[in-house]
């Protein structure tokens, strides 16, 4: 299912998503989309850096008078996203797995076995995309 190797985890998850969609595998689609969103959110721009640094077309920046800490003008949104290391991406996916396992345990205690099984299956799908070496 996964292609363990030198490529990064986000790329493996991204490649797996269309295959899951084609197979109409809702569990895999849910798990993969959630993990990709978590990785993308972690790579989001630090708001303090976005307001203070500019790159690209940012020369025309000016403080926006109506919203504190924002800028307006051409290139105001042009800020480089944070680059995550392979280890950081793996930690994020491991957290996604742990969250699912914890929630599944709660569902099992509450007698909601279908929900617990779904979360265990999603965790297994994500685990299959992690490097095991």
């Amino acid at each position: 299912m996964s292609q363990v190797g030198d490529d990064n985890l986000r790329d493996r998850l991204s490649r797996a998503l269309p295959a899951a969609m084609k197979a109409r595998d809702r569990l895999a689609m849910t798990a993969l989309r959630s993990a990709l969103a978590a990785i993308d959110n972690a790579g989001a721009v630090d708001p303090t850096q976005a307001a203070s640094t500019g790159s690209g077309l940012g020369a025309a920046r000016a403080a926006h008078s109506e919203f504190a800490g924002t800028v307006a003008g051409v290139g105001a949104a042009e800020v480089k996203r944070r680059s995550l290391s392979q280890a950081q991406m793996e930690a994020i996916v491991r957290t996604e797995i742990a969250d699912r396992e914890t929630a599944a345990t709660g569902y099992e205690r509450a007698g909601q076995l279908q929900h617990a099984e779904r979360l265990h299956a999603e965790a297994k799908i994500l685990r299959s995309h992690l490097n095991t070496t």
Side-chain angles (χ1 to χ4, degrees):
M1 186 183 285
S2 67
Q3 296 179 3
V4 178
D6 292 334
D7 59 344
N8 77 36
L9 179 57
R10 189 185 190 300
D11 292 343
R12 288 195 306 271
L13 296 173
S14 293
R15 280 195 309 270
L17 183 57
M21 293 169 73
K22 188 173 184 178
R24 296 180 188 229
D25 184 346
R26 290 188 185 266
L27 284 174
M29 289 189 306
T30 300
L32 294 167
R33 284 179 174 152
S34 175
L36 286 166
I39 290 169
D40 288 345
N41 286 344
V45 176
D46 180 7
T48 58
Q49 179 186 14
S52 64
T53 63
S55 63
L57 303 173
R61 291 172 167 233
H64 194 284
S65 62
E66 296 179 29
F67 303 104
T70 62
V71 293
V74 176
E78 301 296 323
V79 179
K80 187 175 178 181
R81 294 178 63 85
R82 285 185 255 182
S83 178
L84 298 176
S85 70
Q86 181 71 11
Q88 289 170 317
M89 286 187 275
E90 286 183 14
I92 291 165
V93 173
R94 288 184 195 287
T95 299
E96 289 285 307
I97 292 168
D99 289 349
R100 281 170 172 73
E101 295 291 353
T102 301
T105 301
Y107 278 123
E108 288 167 348
R109 287 186 190 139
Q112 300 290 323
L113 299 182
Q114 280 186 319
H115 293 299
E117 288 174 8
R118 178 181 54 83
L119 290 170
H120 283 304
E122 287 181 15
K124 183 178 179 181
I125 290 164
L126 292 178
R127 202 175 289 114
S128 74
H129 292 282
L130 292 174
N131 284 333
T132 56
T133 56

